[in-house]
Amino acid sequence: RSELRNLLEEQLSLASLMGECDAPFWLGHYYENGLYGFAQDNGLAWQMYAKAAWMRSAEGYASLSRMVLEDGTAPEDKDEDFGYECAYRGYALGSDTLETVIRGYRNGHLTHHAAVIEEFLLPRYEELCDEEDKDPQRLSEICEECLAKAEEADRERRPWDVAECARRYADAADILKGYEHMLNSLYSWNSKLLDLIVDRPRLKLRLCRIQLS
């Protein structure tokens, strides 16, 4: 186990030096959960997540937010404002922290992002949380619509629109994956979207997580 730990630490540290932003995230994950011979250490986990976030890792930001707002394992000087800011930045980079962002905003946080939240994030959240949109049929329609728009954007060489369609798809798919009878369809849609995403590693990681579910 010590050999595996040393190998993981060496390889992930090297990847981090080469600019792979999710490498320190995985080190943080191993420290936080005491995996593969890493001694459980929330302090070191925080340091690794913070490094990942500094390198623009969506999962790094999401993990910092979780440690502050949910687990209570963050350093004492990190307050709710910091936790919700991390959730906001993580979502902007592709993590699934939209619900946390909206909760924070509705409780008086993130007011400096009000314009973006009111115009873009709240409508998206309300659409997903609407009772109609919790119906698997409606969710599947959203996924199919996003895939069709992404394919059209790809044909027209608009990669930024492909990414936006994929994010909206992922918001719906994160709910839809709870319906077992929809998993085959999700797998097919996901595979097609993954083929369209270019130079968006964090978004690809989010889609891969849906695929694995």
Side-chain angles (χ1 to χ4, degrees):
R1 175 162 293 206
S2 62
E3 289 182 3
L4 176 58
R5 179 207 179 283
N6 292 339
L7 178 62
L8 286 170
E9 184 172 37
E10 178 184 345
Q11 294 299 314
L12 289 171
S13 296
L14 179 60
S16 177
L17 288 173
M18 295 175 67
E20 176 49 60
C21 64
D22 284 323
F25 159 75
W26 285 112
L27 282 172
H29 177 72
Y30 298 152
Y31 275 120
E32 184 179 18
N33 295 284
L35 299 173
Y36 305 120
F38 286 79
Q40 199 285 324
D41 190 318
N42 287 329
L44 286 175
W46 179 270
Q47 290 178 30
M48 293 298 103
Y49 291 148
K51 182 175 181 180
W54 180 79
M55 296 173 69
R56 296 180 58 79
S57 163
E59 297 308 315
Y61 275 118
S63 297
L64 294 176
S65 176
R66 173 179 51 75
M67 290 181 77
V68 173
L69 301 173
E70 299 176 24
D71 298 345
T73 53
E76 292 183 0
D77 63 329
K78 304 304 179 185
D79 59 11
E80 286 190 339
D81 281 337
F82 183 88
Y84 286 117
E85 180 67 27
C86 287
Y88 179 87
R89 295 188 183 191
Y91 182 76
L93 291 168
S95 72
D96 57 351
T97 51
L98 178 60
E99 183 178 356
T100 303
V101 171
I102 300 304
R103 182 175 74 243
Y105 182 65
R106 288 176 170 171
N107 284 286
H109 304 276
L110 300 172
T111 54
H112 52 298
H113 298 301
V116 172
I117 292 173
E118 290 284 349
E119 184 173 358
F120 298 106
L121 304 194
L122 265 174
R124 180 178 300 168
Y125 178 76
E126 288 169 356
E127 179 184 25
L128 290 169
C129 289
D130 187 273
E131 286 300 324
E132 180 185 2
D133 285 347
K134 288 183 180 179
D135 177 75
Q137 179 60 38
R138 176 59 184 142
L139 288 166
S140 66
E141 290 172 0
I142 291 174
C143 289
E144 289 180 314
E145 176 186 324
C146 290
L147 175 59
K149 289 183 176 180
E151 289 174 332
E152 179 183 356
D154 182 65
R155 288 193 295 271
E156 296 176 359
R157 299 179 182 275
R158 292 183 282 116
W160 52 91
D161 287 338
V162 173
E164 181 57 31
C165 289
R167 288 192 188 96
R168 186 164 181 262
Y169 162 86
D171 288 338
D174 275 331
I175 301 172
L176 194 60
K177 69 186 181 183
Y179 296 91
E180 186 173 354
H181 68 285
M182 295 302 305
L183 293 182
N184 287 338
S185 296
L186 275 176
Y187 188 90
S188 175
W189 298 330
N190 247 54
S191 297
K192 293 175 181 177
L193 270 174
L194 282 167
D195 289 339
L196 299 178
I197 300 298
V198 179
D199 297 330
R200 301 277 179 163
R202 288 172 286 279
L203 184 53
K204 274 202 165 188
L205 178 63
R206 187 177 177 192
L207 292 175
C208 285
R209 289 198 173 115
I210 295 171
Q211 193 89 334
L212 290 171
S213 69

